[in-house]
Amino acid sequence: MQPQKHILAFDDLPILLRQWLRSKAVIGPLARQDQPGFYYFDWIDPADADVERLAERLASGYVTTTIPPKKAFFPTRETLFNFAAAGPVVPKNEEHQEPFLLIGVHPCDLAALSLLDTAYAHPPADGPWRKRRSPATVVGIDCLPDQYCFCTSMETSGSRDACDLFLTPITSGFLAEIYSEKGKDLLRGIRTEPAQPRDIQEGEEFLHKKEAAITLSLQAGSEEFAEILDTVDLTEVWEQTAQRCYSCGSCNTTCPTCFCFDVEDTLDTNLTSGRRYRSWGSCQLLEFTLLAGGANTRGERRQRVAHRWYRKFLYLYKQFGHSFCTGCGRCSRACTADINIVDVSNDLIKRAKEKR
């Protein structure tokens, strides 16, 4: 749909945030106290919220968060049900089933939410994801890149997917693009003005400046890269990358599109009751493909490294028509071995072209 566009004054954003916090549960980017300059998505306590700083963070185009916004719909660890030796399984009551707000989501992460919507809707659809997505309203906001971003290569720099309201900071305030009735409702009770052509042009210029500031790029499009991975033997790159990789799983746990999970049962100390959890999984961990009896289908590190690229850029591209990478750069930022996904991908592309 063509969005309605309005101007929201900078000074009115704190007022709007307080209004949202009074009416709904809100999850948004919070500052990490232990790592200044780093942010993470989490639920905001209305009684403890520093609204002025949150508004300043949103207006300043903060770069990224360590943990992606998917945690609003897919918690890092959640109880599926409780059980006991005697008695039926007791499903856990779902939390946050009431309408809630996810705010401060950047374009690459909006694209990621759209990809996860597709993946989790694929039969058999994931129930918990669907239950949390339905009542959510998503507020996107434009951002500034750092040296790890390559969203232009993945065509997500201007994404408005999965978005109800999108804000771009311009001279006269925020250019507010409304994409749904839920997004329109968010601006009720606050003063806005219709956006003028110069405001819309300035919003487009913000995007162009952001894209021009991005220094990393993949040397092949998604279709060509998938074809390379599908047809060329690049074992030497997997082996070299595996020699550096620690198999810590940081790349997976910070990825906005990874959707694999692990399921485990934990017994209480009485040994007669317990609960079943599911938590974010990582295909880079040795235990991920460990089978009963001790067999492991990806027991070698190079196999796990290769699988990550095949999964992101080939398997899911074939299944859904999109690479499951948005160019957010979180995996490269988080990598304990300083492995950069763009450097490795371009090495794969370069060697594949040399072999042809």
mmCIF file of all heavy atoms in Angstrom, residues 22 27 35 57 80 93 97 104 118 120 177 209 214 248 271 273 315 322:
data_model
loop_
_atom_site.group_PDB
_atom_site.id
_atom_site.type_symbol
_atom_site.label_atom_id
_atom_site.label_comp_id
_atom_site.label_asym_id
_atom_site.label_seq_id
_atom_site.Cartn_x
_atom_site.Cartn_y
_atom_site.Cartn_z
ATOM 1 N N ARG A 22 2.103 3.885 28.257
ATOM 2 C CA ARG A 22 0.915 3.822 29.126
ATOM 3 C C ARG A 22 -0.140 2.853 28.592
ATOM 4 O O ARG A 22 -0.905 2.270 29.361
ATOM 5 C CB ARG A 22 0.284 5.219 29.260
ATOM 6 C CG ARG A 22 1.003 6.157 30.189
ATOM 7 C CD ARG A 22 0.127 7.349 30.549
ATOM 8 N NE ARG A 22 -0.234 8.125 29.382
ATOM 9 C CZ ARG A 22 0.471 9.175 28.935
ATOM 10 N NH1 ARG A 22 1.553 9.554 29.572
ATOM 11 N NH2 ARG A 22 0.071 9.835 27.863
ATOM 12 N N ILE A 27 8.551 -3.225 23.552
ATOM 13 C CA ILE A 27 9.914 -3.747 23.487
ATOM 14 C C ILE A 27 10.679 -2.883 22.494
ATOM 15 O O ILE A 27 10.162 -2.554 21.430
ATOM 16 C CB ILE A 27 9.936 -5.250 23.098
ATOM 17 C CG1 ILE A 27 11.367 -5.784 23.096
ATOM 18 C CG2 ILE A 27 9.245 -5.518 21.779
ATOM 19 C CD1 ILE A 27 11.453 -7.302 22.947
ATOM 20 N N GLN A 35 28.348 -2.511 28.359
ATOM 21 C CA GLN A 35 29.088 -2.223 27.137
ATOM 22 C C GLN A 35 28.564 -0.921 26.535
ATOM 23 O O GLN A 35 27.672 -0.943 25.683
ATOM 24 C CB GLN A 35 28.940 -3.367 26.119
ATOM 25 C CG GLN A 35 29.619 -4.667 26.519
ATOM 26 C CD GLN A 35 29.416 -5.730 25.456
ATOM 27 O OE1 GLN A 35 28.325 -6.255 25.298
ATOM 28 N NE2 GLN A 35 30.466 -6.035 24.723
ATOM 29 N N ARG A 57 17.980 8.292 21.334
ATOM 30 C CA ARG A 57 18.604 7.149 20.651
ATOM 31 C C ARG A 57 17.924 6.897 19.304
ATOM 32 O O ARG A 57 18.581 6.672 18.280
ATOM 33 C CB ARG A 57 18.477 5.913 21.547
ATOM 34 C CG ARG A 57 19.221 4.681 21.073
ATOM 35 C CD ARG A 57 19.119 3.616 22.151
ATOM 36 N NE ARG A 57 19.516 4.126 23.436
ATOM 37 C CZ ARG A 57 18.855 3.920 24.579
ATOM 38 N NH1 ARG A 57 17.760 3.175 24.575
ATOM 39 N NH2 ARG A 57 19.277 4.429 25.711
ATOM 40 N N LEU A 80 7.839 -24.685 27.115
ATOM 41 C CA LEU A 80 6.759 -25.166 26.242
ATOM 42 C C LEU A 80 5.625 -25.769 27.075
ATOM 43 O O LEU A 80 4.456 -25.522 26.826
ATOM 44 C CB LEU A 80 7.297 -26.198 25.256
ATOM 45 C CG LEU A 80 8.317 -25.671 24.239
ATOM 46 C CD1 LEU A 80 8.818 -26.813 23.359
ATOM 47 C CD2 LEU A 80 7.716 -24.576 23.370
ATOM 48 N N ASN A 93 1.087 -21.041 30.186
ATOM 49 C CA ASN A 93 0.309 -19.893 29.738
ATOM 50 C C ASN A 93 1.199 -18.955 28.940
ATOM 51 O O ASN A 93 2.303 -18.614 29.362
ATOM 52 C CB ASN A 93 -0.274 -19.141 30.934
ATOM 53 C CG ASN A 93 -1.328 -19.955 31.650
ATOM 54 O OD1 ASN A 93 -2.047 -20.748 31.025
ATOM 55 N ND2 ASN A 93 -1.425 -19.788 32.957
ATOM 56 N N GLN A 97 0.376 -11.998 25.251
ATOM 57 C CA GLN A 97 -0.637 -12.259 24.230
ATOM 58 C C GLN A 97 -1.457 -11.009 23.932
ATOM 59 O O GLN A 97 -2.126 -10.930 22.923
ATOM 60 C CB GLN A 97 -1.554 -13.392 24.674
ATOM 61 C CG GLN A 97 -0.866 -14.753 24.718
ATOM 62 C CD GLN A 97 -0.273 -15.145 23.373
ATOM 63 O OE1 GLN A 97 -1.008 -15.338 22.412
ATOM 64 N NE2 GLN A 97 1.042 -15.245 23.287
ATOM 65 N N GLY A 104 11.610 0.848 17.075
ATOM 66 C CA GLY A 104 13.027 1.082 16.783
ATOM 67 C C GLY A 104 13.644 0.021 15.896
ATOM 68 O O GLY A 104 14.847 -0.248 16.007
ATOM 69 N N THR A 118 7.675 -15.794 6.808
ATOM 70 C CA THR A 118 7.555 -16.786 5.731
ATOM 71 C C THR A 118 7.994 -18.167 6.202
ATOM 72 O O THR A 118 7.297 -19.162 5.985
ATOM 73 C CB THR A 118 8.407 -16.357 4.527
ATOM 74 O OG1 THR A 118 7.965 -15.080 4.066
ATOM 75 C CG2 THR A 118 8.311 -17.376 3.397
ATOM 76 N N TYR A 120 8.327 -19.396 9.298
ATOM 77 C CA TYR A 120 7.528 -19.984 10.369
ATOM 78 C C TYR A 120 6.091 -20.289 9.938
ATOM 79 O O TYR A 120 5.380 -21.010 10.639
ATOM 80 C CB TYR A 120 7.523 -19.064 11.590
ATOM 81 C CG TYR A 120 8.754 -19.209 12.450
ATOM 82 C CD1 TYR A 120 9.501 -18.104 12.819
ATOM 83 C CD2 TYR A 120 9.164 -20.455 12.903
ATOM 84 C CE1 TYR A 120 10.627 -18.232 13.616
ATOM 85 C CE2 TYR A 120 10.282 -20.590 13.689
ATOM 86 C CZ TYR A 120 11.009 -19.479 14.048
ATOM 87 O OH TYR A 120 12.118 -19.627 14.835
ATOM 88 N N GLU A 177 5.800 7.405 8.001
ATOM 89 C CA GLU A 177 5.085 6.692 6.947
ATOM 90 C C GLU A 177 4.147 5.674 7.606
ATOM 91 O O GLU A 177 4.590 4.832 8.383
ATOM 92 C CB GLU A 177 6.071 5.978 6.028
ATOM 93 C CG GLU A 177 7.108 6.893 5.407
ATOM 94 C CD GLU A 177 8.222 6.114 4.722
ATOM 95 O OE1 GLU A 177 7.951 5.074 4.097
ATOM 96 O OE2 GLU A 177 9.383 6.557 4.837
ATOM 97 N N LYS A 209 22.006 8.774 1.252
ATOM 98 C CA LYS A 209 23.246 9.044 1.998
ATOM 99 C C LYS A 209 23.670 7.822 2.796
ATOM 100 O O LYS A 209 24.850 7.496 2.897
ATOM 101 C CB LYS A 209 23.030 10.248 2.931
ATOM 102 C CG LYS A 209 22.956 11.580 2.208
ATOM 103 C CD LYS A 209 22.728 12.720 3.193
ATOM 104 C CE LYS A 209 22.608 14.049 2.453
ATOM 105 N NZ LYS A 209 22.282 15.181 3.363
ATOM 106 N N ILE A 214 27.800 3.013 3.012
ATOM 107 C CA ILE A 214 28.079 1.584 3.232
ATOM 108 C C ILE A 214 29.270 1.175 2.375
ATOM 109 O O ILE A 214 29.258 1.357 1.149
ATOM 110 C CB ILE A 214 26.825 0.741 2.904
ATOM 111 C CG1 ILE A 214 25.719 1.063 3.910
ATOM 112 C CG2 ILE A 214 27.157 -0.750 2.910
ATOM 113 C CD1 ILE A 214 24.379 0.478 3.573
ATOM 114 N N CYS A 248 31.774 -21.068 18.412
ATOM 115 C CA CYS A 248 31.112 -20.536 19.611
ATOM 116 C C CYS A 248 29.623 -20.294 19.382
ATOM 117 O O CYS A 248 28.853 -20.169 20.342
ATOM 118 C CB CYS A 248 31.781 -19.234 20.048
ATOM 119 S SG CYS A 248 31.563 -17.847 18.908
ATOM 120 N N LEU A 271 12.685 -35.038 41.027
ATOM 121 C CA LEU A 271 12.807 -36.063 39.976
ATOM 122 C C LEU A 271 11.466 -36.635 39.531
ATOM 123 O O LEU A 271 11.428 -37.683 38.872
ATOM 124 C CB LEU A 271 13.735 -37.199 40.431
ATOM 125 C CG LEU A 271 15.171 -36.792 40.794
ATOM 126 C CD1 LEU A 271 15.990 -38.033 41.160
ATOM 127 C CD2 LEU A 271 15.841 -36.040 39.656
ATOM 128 N N SER A 273 8.881 -34.303 38.432
ATOM 129 C CA SER A 273 8.245 -33.273 37.610
ATOM 130 C C SER A 273 9.326 -32.454 36.909
ATOM 131 O O SER A 273 10.516 -32.555 37.257
ATOM 132 C CB SER A 273 7.350 -32.362 38.462
ATOM 133 O OG SER A 273 8.133 -31.687 39.437
ATOM 134 N N TYR A 315 20.248 -23.114 0.422
ATOM 135 C CA TYR A 315 19.087 -23.958 0.727
ATOM 136 C C TYR A 315 17.806 -23.135 0.860
ATOM 137 O O TYR A 315 16.772 -23.454 0.260
ATOM 138 C CB TYR A 315 19.313 -24.739 2.028
ATOM 139 C CG TYR A 315 20.511 -25.651 2.034
ATOM 140 C CD1 TYR A 315 21.153 -25.980 3.228
ATOM 141 C CD2 TYR A 315 21.007 -26.207 0.854
ATOM 142 C CE1 TYR A 315 22.261 -26.806 3.253
ATOM 143 C CE2 TYR A 315 22.120 -27.034 0.873
ATOM 144 C CZ TYR A 315 22.739 -27.325 2.076
ATOM 145 O OH TYR A 315 23.840 -28.146 2.094
ATOM 146 N N HIS A 322 14.576 -16.293 -1.469
ATOM 147 C CA HIS A 322 15.338 -15.191 -0.888
ATOM 148 C C HIS A 322 16.519 -15.761 -0.101
ATOM 149 O O HIS A 322 16.379 -16.783 0.567
ATOM 150 C CB HIS A 322 14.484 -14.370 0.091
ATOM 151 C CG HIS A 322 13.368 -13.616 -0.561
ATOM 152 N ND1 HIS A 322 13.567 -12.429 -1.225
ATOM 153 C CD2 HIS A 322 12.046 -13.895 -0.658
ATOM 154 C CE1 HIS A 322 12.401 -12.004 -1.694
ATOM 155 N NE2 HIS A 322 11.464 -12.870 -1.367
#
